[in-house]
Structure formats: C-alpha cells, structure tokens
Amino acid sequence: MYRRHFIATGLLSAVTGLAQASTLDSNKAKVNTPARTILVLGDSLSAEYGLKRGSGWVALLEQRLQAEKIQASVVNASISGHTTAGGRSRLGALLAQHRPSHLIIELGGNDALRGLPLELSQDNLTQMTQAAQKTGAKVLLIGMQVPPNYGKDYGTRFAAMFSAVAKANKAALVPFLLKGVADGPDSTALFQADRIHPTEAAHPVMLGNVWPELKKLLK
C-alpha cells in the first residue's frame, strides 16, 4: 500500500512538474516576443486635420490591428503642414524614443504645395528610409500625386519620386494614399471645404490603400 502511494505521488509530482515547466516556457515565450510598434510620420492627411479625434485612417489602423488580433501598437507622430525636411529633422529623436519595428512615411504633399525642389524631397525621403532601416525598422512609403494644374511633367516626376526611393532602398510602397478618393467620379464629395483635406468618409478608403502593404510587413 505504501509502495503504491509512493508511486502515485511520484507520478503526480512528475505531471505537475511538466505542467509548470510548460507554463513557464509559455510565459517565457510571451516575454521574449518582441513588441511591435508602428510609427506614422506624416502631415495633415495623417494628423486628422478638420476631423474629430479618432476618425482618421491612423486611428482606424489601430482598430484594424485589434480586430485582426495583431500585436502591435501605433504611434502617430504626424503634424499638419509638415514637409519631408521637417520629418527628417524629427525622425532621429522619434526612432530613439519609440524604437519602432515599422515606420510609415506619409510626407511630400506639402513639399509640392510649397514648390520645393523634387531632388531635395527625394533626398529627404531617402535619408529617412535609410535611417529607419539602420535601426532594423521596416519602412512603408506612402506616395502622393498632385493635381493636373501642376503640369504633366511635374506630376509624373513627383509620383515617380516615391517609387524611386522605395525601389532603391527595398522599402514597401503605397503608390497613392488618395486612390479612390481624389480620382473618383465625384471626388469633391470626399473632401472638406478647402478641397485639400479628405472628409471622415474618405479615411476608411485611405486605410484600405495602406493596409494590404502594411499587413505584408507585419507577417
């Protein structure tokens, strides 16, 4: 009887030990799983200009991540009116502070509005992309297009700037953030009174343009 009790106690201890070890391994795996942070560096299109807080595409991105059970946090460092030069000047401190696993660069539109040289804008985008990649972050460039009144040649070169930077640095690219918004049959309905900034209804479409490319980087 005592021998049977001893054997049973030993088996129970072994099973308990295996269960505890499994739990510890599971907890250890969770601890060792690197937290992912998506840093968004953009202008008014990402900073919810003219919108109620929480309705822009970046806020909708946070909701999408939660819905798809993707473990990642979002830091929106976008500022209305920002240019590529402004983003470049801030990026170093942002990388050091947030240590993002992913960087989304949505800048360049204000460069065009201010008539800044394309070569300067392209250099700024390149430097930002490379700086982030050196820290191990994956980069997603968000492209823009300008209205026809800028001229066909300028418009073509401006749009090509984003793809050139992405290709040269092996970064991901969304060719046009406002696809389905600015090029639709009744695009004015999706813009605020200034005809520059999209309405709240347009932001799910904008996220729809960003999400497929970002999701690939999150795998």
Side-chain angles (χ1 to χ4, degrees):
M1 176 178 179
Y2 289 107
R3 185 169 179 273
R4 291 177 181 177
H5 177 72
F6 179 78
I7 293 173
T9 302
L11 289 172
L12 179 61
S13 297
V15 171
T16 302
L18 287 172
Q20 289 176 339
S22 178
T23 300
L24 287 173
D25 289 342
S26 177
N27 290 337
K28 184 178 180 182
K30 291 178 181 179
V31 171
N32 291 336
T33 299
R36 291 183 290 183
T37 299
I38 302 169
L39 176 64
V40 181
L41 187 61
D43 51 34
S44 57
L45 297 180
S46 300
E48 297 185 328
Y49 179 91
L51 305 176
K52 65 182 181 183
R53 299 286 76 85
S55 62
W57 75 265
V58 179
L60 298 178
L61 169 60
E62 294 184 83
Q63 297 175 23
R64 177 65 67 87
L65 290 167
Q66 293 175 1
E68 301 213 8
K69 295 181 172 54
I70 296 176
Q71 297 296 317
S73 59
V74 180
V75 176
N76 192 354
S78 304
I79 297 178
S80 294
H82 236 30
T83 61
T84 57
R88 181 178 177 179
S89 68
R90 297 174 58 221
L91 183 57
L94 290 169
L95 292 174
Q97 178 183 356
H98 300 290
R99 301 183 181 278
S101 56
H102 298 75
L103 172 65
I104 298 177
I105 303 175
E106 182 275 299
L107 291 168
N110 288 313
D111 293 45
L113 290 175
R114 300 183 185 188
L116 300 178
L118 289 179
E119 295 76 15
L120 177 60
S121 300
Q122 183 164 335
D123 181 59
N124 289 332
L125 290 172
T126 298
Q127 294 304 317
M128 285 188 284
T129 298
Q130 294 178 351
Q133 289 176 332
K134 285 179 181 178
T135 69
K138 296 180 180 180
V139 178
L140 175 60
L141 286 168
I142 306 294
M144 280 298 297
Q145 295 180 14
V146 294
N149 59 295
Y150 278 76
K152 183 177 181 180
D153 178 64
Y154 181 87
T156 300
R157 290 191 296 118
F158 180 80
M161 172 180 70
F162 299 95
S163 59
V165 174
K167 183 177 181 180
N169 296 280
K170 297 181 179 179
L173 173 70
V174 174
F176 187 28
L177 177 60
L178 299 181
K179 181 176 176 59
V181 176
D183 56 0
D186 187 18
S187 59
T188 57
L190 293 174
F191 281 88
Q192 299 176 38
D194 61 11
R195 300 292 180 90
I196 296 175
H197 298 95
T199 62
E200 182 178 329
H203 280 259
V205 180
M206 294 160 65
L207 175 61
N209 293 329
V210 174
W211 179 247
E213 295 303 321
L214 178 60
K215 188 174 182 179
K216 293 176 187 177
L217 297 183
L218 290 168
K219 291 182 178 179

